[in-house]
Structure formats: structure tokens, C-alpha cells
Amino acid sequence: MTRFLKLFIKELLSMFLLIIGVTALLFLLFNLMPGSFPGKGLGGAEYLKLLRRLFTFQFGTSIVSGRDINTIVFPAFRNTLILTIGSIFLSILISVPIGIFSAYRGFESYSWPFVIFSYIMSSIPVFYLGYLVIYAVSRYTGYLPIYYPYGSERGNPLISYVLPVLVLGFGNESISEIVRLIANELKRVMNTDYVVASKARGESVLRSSINEGILIPLISIIFSKIPFLIGGAVIVEHVFNWPGMGRLAFQSTLNRDLPVLIVIAFLAVLCVRSGMLLKELILYYFRPGEK
Amino acid sequence: MSLLAELNDLKVYFYDQRDKRFIRAVENVGFSINEGTVLGVVGESGCGKTVTALSMMGLLESEPGIIDGQFFFKPSEEDAELIKQSLSRGVRKQNDYKKDTLFNLFFGLDRYVSFEENPFTIIKDSEKWLRRNNRIMEHIRGKNISMIFQNPEQSLNPFIPVGGQLTRTIKRFNREANSYEIKEKAIKLLRSVRLYRPEIVMSMYAGSLSIGMAQRVTIAIALCSHPRLLIADEPTTGLDTTNIYKMIELLEVLMTEMNLTLMLISHNIRIVSTIASNILVMYAGTVVEIGSKNYVMKTKKGPKHPYTEALVSSVPSDSDIKRGKKLRVIPGTVPNNKRKMDCCPFLERCPYAEGKIRQKCESACPELARVASQHYIRCYLFYS
């Protein structure tokens, strides 16, 4: 238990330091930017005020629109979270069965079409896949909405989640990585002594190797993929006109809206680091040797 | 005393992908085990003892190759029908797979394993057979034959506490039992393998157990399904000398308590001879001597394979130690098993191969010859 607490405190401390570093760097870069715009040329006292605003989650007002940043950022944050988590689940849903299948049968048998499919899916750029899907869906079916019904009452927002989640789930590079990792790890674990021993007493191979063969590699790869997913989400959000953090960041960069940008960076750091913390905690639960 | 298992002409070859040739692991191995007896299997490392045990359990999966032979086994009555169903699938003659109440678990082997030189075909064929074999062995593993392995620490799942593995296995064999009964049974089993404070051991992980404790736990897990045959593959490796005999005593006690039949694999012939009723001596993948303990261990008189003699004298007995006798080693090593068996495999290390008899030994591998009732030796010295 003390180890657990130590880990927790260490992670929290590193998160705090990272937030200070990121925001300070952004603040400095903004002050070095050419041109003149509101928010430029502020001193250290202003930075401390900014930190207080960030850590109390009262982000202040946007320079451009004059609205409260909380009302702008949190809906966008929620949308991105839905997109990211949904696409992660989709990736797992596709790649884990392929990985298990190819671990069981090897590449020689019928698993190779699936493996090749996963590699092709990972090598298509996300924006290209997005436009392809939009073209195919709008040209030939017309059932699914290709854009988020932004600011209008028409259409069901839930259905409009389908296409972006599908595209990001297939198109992020994690599918082939998960397939390769699980195929290798599971194959290795399936030949270890304890799995053979449990097979000798009639237990199923998959059940006894699921911890080391699937769960641990899957957890470590998924949580380390979160930063890339947020990056990939920027493109998908742009393609699908999805009101998420990525699009918001893009727009506020164009508008030079410093307060919003810093808040977005703050939330991204928070998201990525807490993902890492969660990974450590889950792995701690699964690895008995460290208890 | 009725026949429980009988292995005839087991052949296991592994295919070497790089050299494009077969490696002989086991050839012409056969024995029979009666219910309630102990068969000791003795030999140096690399003599095919473990491969024999693994192929009996159908656990040889990592390599493509050839498995051939017949393995008759008498399952418990409730499983007999299930095994009969899975064996007779797609078979025309109904009684080929059966001999009295014994079922040939290797039935249909010749249909799937081919001797073609193309490695791709061999992989595919053995894979196909292994899938069929897995279907048959579903009813055998655990319920009828259980196995404990030579490295107990590695054969426990490091991610689940010991109690979890034990209760999981018990639960599979008693589906109706509630969790309280299962826990009671687990504790009782751990007590029966002489583990103190079983409640604490239940919550421990494999990494924190000593080798002796881990071996006892693996025995407990192997026994929770009440198997008919227990294959103990070097259960004494890594234990110190006093614990070795405690472990052997434990196995002997468990045999009478649980009505077990034991196949004890070891490289130490003296340990095996303390409880075994029959001893099988393996060398270079073949049986060189098989017989009841009294015949095989008789040191002075009576026929005896030179290899058995060397094995016996390489482990000092109590009287040897008292007299201050020097330890004897067997010169040389086990021969390369890539070579074809065209001479006696023990020829290079045999002290008796001289003169006329040496020419015989060099010409061909001797057959297993009967020297007494239930005592067979593969040596030209005892050809009559």
C-alpha cells in the first residue's frame, strides 16, 4: 500500500511540474510572437494569476468572443473524450480478436488476410480515410450524417458520432500495433511453463494466458497511445466538422486567443498524464510481484 | 490389479527446419502400468523421458514433427462414453480404437501425420492432428491423467494467487459446489500435501513460495480432480536431499489416500527405486531395460543392461558410503540423436563391448530381449 501511495504522489508531482513547464513555455512563446495583439507583453505577475485561474478551474473570458472559457472548452473537451474513447474501444474490438487468431494459427494459416488488413488500415492517413468515407457514405447511402449538427436542432447528435468514431478507430495507427504486440506476446506466453501446466490439468490456454498475454500489453499500449489519439483527433475533427478540442485549438491559434489556447494545453496535459497514472495503477493491480 | 495404461511403439521425431531433417526424440518406447502401481522412468537428460510424458498428455505442440504409436488408456466410467464419441468420429470400423476397456488415445494418428520431406505439409498435418487430439484429450487431461512438471515455480501462474488457481481448478470439476465448499476442499487438499497454514498459502503468489512449497502446491492442484494416473516429471529437482525423500514419501502416502497410479520420472535411479514397482530405463530415446524393481536393481547377480549398472553405481548407496567407495561416473555423453540408429546407442560408453560382441554391437541395434518374466533388456550380452 505504501508503494501504491508513493507511486500516486510521484505521478501527481510530475503532472504538476509538467503543467507549470508547458504553460510557462506557451506564455513565453506568446510573448515572443511577432505582431501586436491583446494578451501580448504581460509580465510574471500575470502568469501567476493565470496559474491560479487554471488550478481553480475558473478559466476567465476569451479575448476573441468574450465568452466564459469554461462554457467553450468543456463541451469541446467532452466531445473529444467521446471521440477518443469510442475510437479506442473500436480499435480494441477489431484488433484483439485478430491478434488472438494470428497467435493461435500463425501467419501461415488463414489469419494473414486479417493481419494484412490491419496493416493497410493503419497505413492509410486518417484525413484521407475520412474523406473517402464521407464521399462513399454521402454519395451512395445517405443514411448517416456526415457532419455534426452544429448549433442546430436538426438531426440526432448520437448518430453523427458514428462516422468520426469509425474513422478514427480504424485509422489511428494503433490497430496494427496491437495486433502485432498481442500476436507476439500471446504466442510467447502460450508456450511458457505455467500455461502448459494449466493445459495439462485441462484448463483453456487462453484463460490462463490472458493476463500476461493480452491484458498487460494491451493496457500499456492503449494508454501510451492517448497523446497520438488526441493528435489524430485534430484532423478527424476538422474533416467531420466535429466541435472538439482539436478544432477549437486550431481556431484559437488562428485567432491568437491566448487564454483559450493555454487552457487547452492545460487540459491536454491533464488528460495525457492522468492516462499514464491510470495505466500505472492498473498495471500495479495486474502485476503481483510488485504488491 | 488391472491394466490402466499401455504405450506401444511410441515414436516422436522433431523436424529441424534449418538442417531439413528429422531429429529422433523417442523411438520404440513401450510399457504398461497396472492400477495402483508406480512406474519409475530413469535416464540421463536428453533421453526422452519428458518427451514421452508430454506426448502421452498430447502437449507436444511447439514443433512440427512425427508422432506415432498406440497409447491405450482406461478412463473413468463417466468419461468413457465421451471419449468413445470423440474417438469414433468418422471411423468406419467401430472397434479399432478399443482394446477391452482401454481406449487408444493415439487412434487415427497415421491418417494425419505424413512423412513427406516438404516442411509445409508436415506442419499442416501435425496441426490438424493436434486439433483432433485436443478434442480427445479434453476428457483426459485433469480428470484422468494429471501431470506435475519439473520446475514447480514456473508451472504456477504468477498472476493469480495460489488459492485462486486451486479453487478455479476445483470449480471446473465440481460445478455444483458453492464457494464455501470449494474453499474448504482447497484447504483440505493443501493440508493433505503437508503444507502448514494453508489459509496463508492460499493468498500467496507463486513468486513468494519456496521450491518445496511450490511443488506441494502443484501436486495439490494436480490432485484436485482425482486423476487416475499422475505423471510426476522430476518432482524432486531443486530440492535438497532431506526434502527429496519427504517428497517421495508424500507421493507414496497420497497414492494410497487417493487411489492413484504414479509414473515417476527422475534421473536418480535410487530415488525411483524407493517406491517404484516397475522401472523403465531409457537411453537415447529408447528403452534399454524394463522390468520389476527387484530384477532391475539387483546389483550383483542376474542380467542387467550395462547402462543400468552404470546408473546404479553412479549414485552411491549407504553401504558404499560406509566403505568409503569412490564415486563412479559414466564416461562420455548421450549420443547425437540426429544420427540414424544403426548400432547400439550405448556402444561408445559400454565397458563390455569388446572383441566378438563389439562387432555385433556395431552391426545393428539390438532388440528388446526377454530375460525373465516381465524383464526385458536391449543388449546382445543377454541374447540366448
Side-chain angles (χ1 to χ4, degrees):
Chain A
M1 203 60 204
T2 50
R3 240 198 77 91
F4 183 85
L5 269 179
K6 234 188 210 167
L7 194 80
F8 194 77
I9 289 167
K10 203 177 126 199
E11 281 291 321
L12 276 187
L13 205 71
S14 76
M15 195 197 287
F16 177 74
L17 287 178
L18 196 67
I19 285 168
I20 288 184
V22 165
T23 48
L25 197 68
L26 265 181
F27 202 77
L28 190 71
L29 283 177
F30 261 88
N31 277 331
L32 293 177
M33 251 165 87
S36 146
F37 47 90
K40 200 188 168 189
L42 299 173
E46 282 297 314
Y47 176 65
L48 288 180
K49 268 185 198 166
L50 174 77
L51 277 186
R52 211 186 72 200
R53 284 208 303 274
L54 286 181
F55 284 114
T56 52
F57 283 85
Q58 300 298 322
F59 298 133
T61 51
S62 157
I63 295 170
V64 175
S65 63
R67 286 164 63 198
D68 189 6
I69 297 179
N70 290 30
T71 59
I72 304 172
V73 158
F74 281 123
F77 187 61
R78 191 202 62 201
N79 283 340
T80 298
L81 219 59
I82 289 170
L83 189 62
T84 315
I85 291 174
S87 66
I88 285 178
F89 269 108
L90 189 70
S91 299
I92 292 174
L93 220 63
I94 299 159
S95 54
V96 169
I98 298 177
I100 294 173
F101 188 57
S102 65
Y104 260 79
R105 291 290 145 81
F107 194 70
E108 288 90 357
S109 300
Y110 313 107
S111 73
W112 63 268
F114 297 102
V115 177
I116 286 179
F117 162 80
S118 76
Y119 275 91
I120 288 174
M121 272 297 150
S122 295
S123 46
I124 295 178
V126 185
F127 68 91
Y128 187 65
L129 187 68
Y131 284 128
L132 269 183
V133 168
I134 286 178
Y135 177 72
V137 167
S138 60
R139 178 99 161 75
Y140 296 110
T141 68
Y143 291 125
L144 289 168
I146 52 172
Y147 289 119
Y148 190 83
Y150 196 31
S152 80
E153 295 298 313
R154 291 171 60 211
N156 187 353
L158 271 181
I159 298 178
S160 62
Y161 290 165
V162 173
L163 277 188
V165 167
L166 222 65
V167 166
L168 192 60
F170 272 99
N172 64 44
E173 298 91 38
S174 56
I175 286 189
S176 65
E177 278 185 43
I178 297 173
V179 166
R180 201 179 56 221
L181 195 73
I182 285 188
N184 285 343
E185 280 291 290
L186 197 60
K187 209 167 195 175
R188 181 182 66 78
V189 173
M190 269 159 59
N191 288 324
T192 54
D193 290 347
Y194 73 88
V195 175
V196 173
S198 67
K199 196 182 170 190
R201 49 179 191 263
E203 207 165 299
S204 86
V205 172
L206 195 60
R207 195 179 167 196
S208 49
S209 56
I210 198 162
N211 258 335
E212 196 185 347
I214 297 174
L215 287 180
I216 287 179
L218 193 63
I219 287 162
S220 40
I221 200 166
I222 282 301
F223 283 105
S224 57
K225 273 278 153 188
I226 285 179
F228 295 96
L229 272 174
I230 289 173
V234 175
I235 295 161
V236 172
E237 280 165 8
H238 199 75
V239 168
F240 283 96
N241 197 26
W242 179 271
M245 290 257 281
R247 228 177 64 109
L248 187 66
F250 186 66
Q251 279 171 355
S252 358
T253 314
L254 290 186
N255 295 340
R256 308 205 162 164
D257 197 345
L258 170 66
V260 176
L261 264 181
I262 283 190
V263 167
I264 289 170
F266 170 74
L267 286 180
V269 168
L270 214 62
C271 202
V272 170
R273 286 315 296 184
S274 43
M276 288 292 169
L277 179 63
L278 206 64
K279 170 190 153 189
E280 290 293 322
L281 296 184
I282 296 175
L283 285 185
Y284 173 85
Y285 174 76
F286 276 116
R287 283 189 195 140
E290 296 172 9
K291 264 185 190 162
Chain B
M1 220 195 274
S2 60
L3 200 61
L4 179 70
E6 188 185 309
L7 191 69
N8 292 332
D9 283 336
L10 178 69
K11 272 197 193 78
V12 180
Y13 281 78
F14 295 125
Y15 191 75
D16 189 348
Q17 302 271 14
R18 207 179 51 202
D19 292 2
K20 302 252 180 273
R21 66 206 289 192
F22 285 103
I23 300 168
R24 165 168 44 82
V26 165
E27 196 170 280
N28 295 332
V29 171
F31 54 81
S32 55
I33 310 175
N34 287 332
E35 270 178 64
T37 59
V38 182
L39 175 78
V41 181
V42 190
E44 282 170 275
S45 334
C47 285
K49 308 180 300 278
T50 307
V51 171
T52 306
L54 287 177
S55 52
M56 280 165 72
M57 295 287 288
L59 289 173
L60 282 180
E61 274 199 49
S62 52
E63 302 266 335
I66 299 168
I67 309 171
D68 194 15
Q70 292 168 310
F71 176 39
F72 288 101
F73 184 75
K74 184 180 170 188
S76 64
E77 277 163 22
E78 60 258 34
D79 294 327
E81 193 55 39
L82 290 168
I83 291 164
K84 192 178 164 188
Q85 275 173 18
S86 51
L87 271 173
S88 61
R89 188 179 290 173
V91 178
R92 273 197 215 113
K93 271 191 268 170
Q94 280 298 310
N95 278 326
D96 275 8
Y97 53 85
K98 233 177 137 182
K99 194 166 96 178
D100 300 333
T101 50
L102 282 79
F103 291 96
N104 184 4
L105 300 181
F106 286 176
F107 182 71
L109 213 60
D110 44 337
R111 289 197 310 174
Y112 291 113
V113 181
S114 68
F115 282 79
E116 273 177 74
E117 265 295 302
N118 183 355
F120 196 69
T121 1
I122 290 162
I123 298 168
K124 275 187 99 172
D125 282 7
S126 62
E127 223 178 51
K128 215 171 176 181
W129 180 72
L130 280 166
R131 236 176 285 162
R132 178 191 152 89
N133 189 33
N134 270 336
R135 271 204 300 275
I136 299 164
M137 288 315 249
E138 255 174 45
H139 313 294
I140 294 287
R141 291 190 197 124
K143 287 183 215 166
N144 289 296
I145 310 179
S146 232
M147 186 166 174
I148 52 180
F149 291 84
Q150 41 186 323
N151 31 8
E153 274 175 325
Q154 272 99 41
S155 63
L156 288 171
N157 194 335
F159 295 92
I160 305 167
V162 165
Q165 294 177 57
L166 198 53
T167 48
R168 193 195 262 188
T169 318
I170 293 170
K171 204 170 183 177
R172 219 185 29 260
F173 295 110
N174 316 301
R175 296 227 178 248
E176 340 33 284
N178 59 31
S179 60
Y180 179 74
E181 284 168 4
I182 287 172
K183 207 185 168 197
E184 279 293 296
K185 197 175 174 201
I187 288 173
K188 204 179 128 199
L189 264 168
L190 286 179
R191 279 229 176 80
S192 72
V193 294
R194 312 292 181 269
L195 267 172
Y196 302 108
R197 294 192 208 147
E199 294 85 358
I200 295 172
V201 174
M202 292 264 284
S203 63
M204 283 164 89
Y205 283 87
S208 47
L209 297 172
S210 73
I211 295 178
M213 283 162 91
Q215 189 63 272
R216 278 157 205 269
V217 170
T218 53
I219 291 174
I221 293 176
L223 290 181
C224 57
S225 51
H226 295 289
R228 295 162 75 77
L229 176 65
L230 178 68
I231 303 175
D233 186 2
E234 308 223 9
T236 54
T237 0
L239 298 177
D240 52 68
T241 323
T242 48
N243 277 330
I244 285 175
Y245 285 97
K246 270 186 198 160
M247 188 62 73
I248 295 294
E249 263 171 37
L250 172 71
L251 285 174
E252 202 174 3
V253 170
L254 288 172
M255 270 184 65
T256 50
E257 269 178 18
M258 302 215 167
N259 200 9
L260 269 178
T261 308
L262 189 65
M263 179 172 157
L264 180 65
I265 299 173
S266 176
H267 52 255
N268 191 329
I269 197 166
R270 285 206 195 271
I271 290 172
V272 166
S273 69
T274 51
I275 59 167
S277 44
N278 284 304
I279 292 182
L280 173 82
V281 183
M282 285 186 77
Y283 184 74
T286 59
V287 180
V288 292
E289 183 166 357
I290 179 168
S292 71
K293 181 183 87 180
N294 298 339
Y295 287 123
V296 176
M297 289 302 291
K298 200 181 273 174
T299 37
K300 294 281 151 53
K301 292 168 219 157
K304 195 177 189 56
H305 193 276
Y307 181 60
T308 318
E309 203 178 317
L311 271 183
V312 172
S313 55
S314 66
V315 187
S317 68
D318 294 348
S319 59
D320 289 344
I321 295 166
K322 267 176 205 157
R323 272 183 282 150
K325 227 171 145 186
K326 275 186 183 167
L327 279 176
R328 266 187 58 188
V329 292
I330 313 173
T333 51
V334 181
N336 189 352
N337 51 8
K338 281 180 187 171
R339 225 177 55 191
K340 253 182 91 178
M341 240 196 316
D342 47 3
C343 64
C344 175
F346 194 58
L347 175 67
E348 284 156 27
R349 306 166 79 181
C350 185
Y352 299 105
E354 281 163 349
K356 244 186 194 175
I357 207 131
R358 190 177 175 94
Q359 287 173 1
K360 245 180 169 179
C361 297
E362 277 168 351
S363 64
C365 180
E367 291 295 312
L368 211 56
R370 182 169 174 272
V371 289
S373 69
Q374 300 186 350
H375 188 200
Y376 298 84
I377 295 181
R378 191 188 292 276
C379 185
Y380 283 119
L381 287 172
F382 309 108
Y383 267 37
S384 48

